[in-house]
């Protein structure tokens, strides 16, 4: 299947409230429409994860990121710009003041974890979908993350509505993103290196 067809099918499933498995800029991810509370609940159920643990969302651009945070602090823009200019590890940023997202996706303190993906497949998927996309590692909570398609547990493959074809043949190491917490006052906390 061509990547264009794969993305088209994945977007149809996402718009219908479905859950997908897809390759990202880090490990394989379980994804859904980040604005659809029922779809988000399904992701928590599939992962067997407590919904008090927030999930990461992927977006394709600075402009899309701004739709989901009340105010992006200057330090966040500085970090985002520095990541674009290097071969830095993909970095997820936790920001205060989440808006326009499913309530069960937003942490109790009102924050959301967002990452602008530069990887061609996930970036195009986010662009075509035109919304934030949940991106949590393709594993049952507590199990190792699926670095490649071949690492995904059969029960996860059976639990979702669509499994993307792109990058299924890949066999190389992938790591979860770094996670940095940025507060409105400029305070920076590294959650995961």
């Amino acid at each position: 299947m061509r990547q264009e067809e794969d993305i088209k099918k994945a977007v149809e499933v996402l718009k219908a409230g479905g859950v997908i498995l897809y390759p990202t800029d880090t490990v394989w991810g379980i994804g859904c429409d980040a604005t659809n509370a029922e779809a988000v609940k399904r992701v928590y159920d599939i992962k067997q994860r407590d919904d008090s643990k927030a999930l990461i969302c992927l977006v394709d651009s600075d402009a899309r990121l701004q739709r989901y945070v009340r105010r992006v602090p200057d330090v966040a823009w500085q970090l985002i710009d520095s990541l674009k200019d290097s071969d830095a590890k993909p970095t997820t940023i936790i920001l205060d003041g989440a808006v326009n997202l499913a309530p069960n996706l937003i942490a109790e303190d009102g924050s959301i974890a967002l990452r602008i993906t530069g990887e061609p497949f996930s970036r195009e998927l986010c662009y075509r979908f035109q919304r934030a996309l949940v991106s949590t590692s393709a594993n049952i909570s507590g199990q190792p993350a699926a670095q490649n398609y071949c690492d995904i547990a059969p029960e996860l493959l059976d639990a979702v509505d669509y499994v993307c074809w792109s990058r299924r043949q890949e066999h190389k190491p992938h790591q979860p993103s770094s996670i940095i917490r940025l507060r409105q006052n400029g305070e920076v906390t590294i959650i995961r290196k």
Side-chain angles (χ1 to χ4, degrees), residues 14-88:
L14 292 166
K15 286 185 175 177
V19 175
I20 66 170
L21 284 168
Y22 66 107
T24 76
D25 54 342
T26 59
V27 296
W28 270 70
I30 301 174
C32 72
D33 179 350
T35 67
N36 182 326
E38 287 181 30
V40 170
K41 183 184 181 316
R42 273 193 63 209
V43 170
Y44 279 115
D45 292 346
I46 289 168
K47 277 190 69 85
Q48 299 170 28
R49 183 173 177 163
D50 182 357
D51 67 6
S52 67
K53 293 185 176 183
L55 302 173
I56 292 170
C57 294
L58 283 188
V59 293
D60 64 316
S61 65
D62 297 359
R64 189 106 46 223
L65 180 132
Q66 286 183 280
R67 290 185 189 176
Y68 301 111
V69 180
R70 198 167 282 114
R71 183 176 121 8
V72 180
D74 290 341
V75 67
W77 291 126
Q78 292 166 9
L79 177 62
I80 289 165
D81 287 344
S82 73
L83 293 171
K84 287 178 188 172
D85 297 336
S86 68
D87 290 329

Side-chain angles (χ1 to χ4, degrees), residues 19-21 30 42-49 137-144 146 149-163:
V19 175
I20 66 170
L21 284 168
I30 301 174
R42 273 193 63 209
V43 170
Y44 279 115
D45 292 346
I46 289 168
K47 277 190 69 85
Q48 299 170 28
R49 183 173 177 163
S137 56
N139 62 312
I140 302 295
S141 202
Q143 300 294 317
Y149 171 77
C150 61
D151 302 322
I152 301 172
E155 63 263 34
L156 287 183
L157 295 170
D158 292 340
V160 301
D161 303 301
Y162 184 71
V163 181

Side-chain angles (χ1 to χ4, degrees), residues 94-108:
I94 301 173
L95 297 167
D96 293 324
V99 293
N100 304 319
L101 292 163
N104 54 343
L105 192 58
I106 300 169
E108 285 183 18

